[in-house]
Amino acid sequence: MSVYQTHRLGADCTAVLWKIEESEDELRALLTLTMPEQLELVEITHPAQRVEWLACRAAVRALVQAHWTYSGLYKDEYGKPHLIGLAAHVSISHTSGWAAAVLHHTKTVGIDIEPFREQFIRVVPRVLSDAEISHANGNLHRLAVYWCAKEALYKLYGKRQLTFREHLHIDPFADGSGLLTGHVRLPDDVRALTIHYFETGPGMLAVAF
């Protein structure tokens, strides 16, 4: 009932992967939820999704309490999570049986975890650019890297007026390199970002900052 894996990505950034083996009651016992968090949880009716929601917050709490007191999360107008009372940046992700969280002391950050799925092949035309499709060449592993990395970029950006194909780009990479360069390209916001990725847990984990 704890963190499954920790990834230290420099002095200011740490990500954790949490294998969900707890019940909802066990996870609730680890957390003191704010009233808005309690209301948000009430709106989640699927039992597995409730457990994943709680596990994400348990993972964030584990990261924060290494440095500060954890007071909970709040979401901004776009649904991006922020720490209550702290200037550090966080991001969360979950999939069946797993939760992940990342904390960066100074930079906006995004995290995503994904299982390997045949769905990646079906969604290629709307997710990848022509150059990225050519590089992926139908390889499921490369498609998973692209998908997970772009999800992490999307969560880092934290707003909704962008698409994976047009506005988020990943430079070509060597298989197994573990490090990518990603780009957000919008008329009023152009930036290059570092993305770490790992084959672990349910499949793929990516962290962008």
Side-chain angles (χ1 to χ4, degrees), residues 17 20 41 45 72 75 77 90 102 124 130 136 174 186 188 197 206 208:
L17 184 62
I20 304 173
L41 182 58
T45 58
K75 291 184 176 180
E77 61 188 297
V90 293
V102 62
V124 158
D130 291 342
L186 289 161
D188 59 347
Y197 73 92

Side-chain angles (χ1 to χ4, degrees), residues 28-70:
R28 283 291 298 265
L30 298 176
L31 299 162
T32 301
L33 301 178
T34 65
M35 184 56 68
E37 287 178 316
Q38 292 178 47
L39 293 173
E40 183 178 346
L41 182 58
V42 166
E43 295 296 316
I44 303 172
T45 58
H46 194 287
Q49 292 176 353
R50 290 172 62 87
V51 169
E52 291 169 15
W53 187 97
L54 288 163
C56 282
R57 281 146 184 82
V60 171
R61 178 181 178 272
L63 283 168
V64 171
Q65 294 212 148
H67 308 278
W68 309 290
T69 299
Y70 177 65

Side-chain angles (χ1 to χ4, degrees), residues 53-107:
W53 187 97
L54 288 163
C56 282
R57 281 146 184 82
V60 171
R61 178 181 178 272
L63 283 168
V64 171
Q65 294 212 148
H67 308 278
W68 309 290
T69 299
Y70 177 65
S71 299
L73 295 177
Y74 73 93
K75 291 184 176 180
D76 64 19
E77 61 188 297
Y78 301 106
K80 183 178 175 65
H82 301 270
L83 292 167
I84 295 173
L86 296 171
H89 303 273
V90 293
S91 182
I92 56 179
S93 181
H94 59 83
T95 190
S96 179
W98 298 87
V102 62
L103 170 74
H104 200 297
H105 289 236
T106 59
K107 294 182 179 180

Side-chain angles (χ1 to χ4, degrees), residues 87-177:
H89 303 273
V90 293
S91 182
I92 56 179
S93 181
H94 59 83
T95 190
S96 179
W98 298 87
V102 62
L103 170 74
H104 200 297
H105 289 236
T106 59
K107 294 182 179 180
T108 306
V109 68
I111 193 169
D112 189 56
I113 50 173
E114 299 284 347
F116 291 111
R117 297 178 290 179
E118 293 298 324
Q119 175 193 0
F120 295 141
I121 296 173
R122 296 197 300 273
V123 300
V124 158
R126 67 177 178 84
V127 172
L128 304 189
S129 68
D130 291 342
E132 291 165 344
I133 291 171
S134 177
H135 176 252
N137 196 30
N139 181 286
L140 182 60
H141 187 278
R142 288 185 184 175
L143 291 170
V145 173
Y146 274 116
W147 177 278
C148 201
K150 289 198 175 193
E151 284 279 6
L153 283 180
Y154 185 86
K155 291 182 178 182
L156 180 152
Y157 186 72
K159 298 178 183 178
R160 297 185 182 129
Q161 67 267 37
L162 50 71
T163 66
F164 280 27
R165 178 178 171 85
E166 295 179 16
H167 303 125
L168 302 178
H169 302 274
I170 308 297
D171 287 350
F173 54 89
D175 294 334
S177 66

Side-chain angles (χ1 to χ4, degrees), residues 7-15 102-105 109 196 207-209:
H7 297 276
R8 303 196 187 281
L9 307 175
D12 291 336
C13 185
T14 304
V102 62
L103 170 74
H104 200 297
H105 289 236
V109 68
H196 296 261
V207 177
F209 58 86

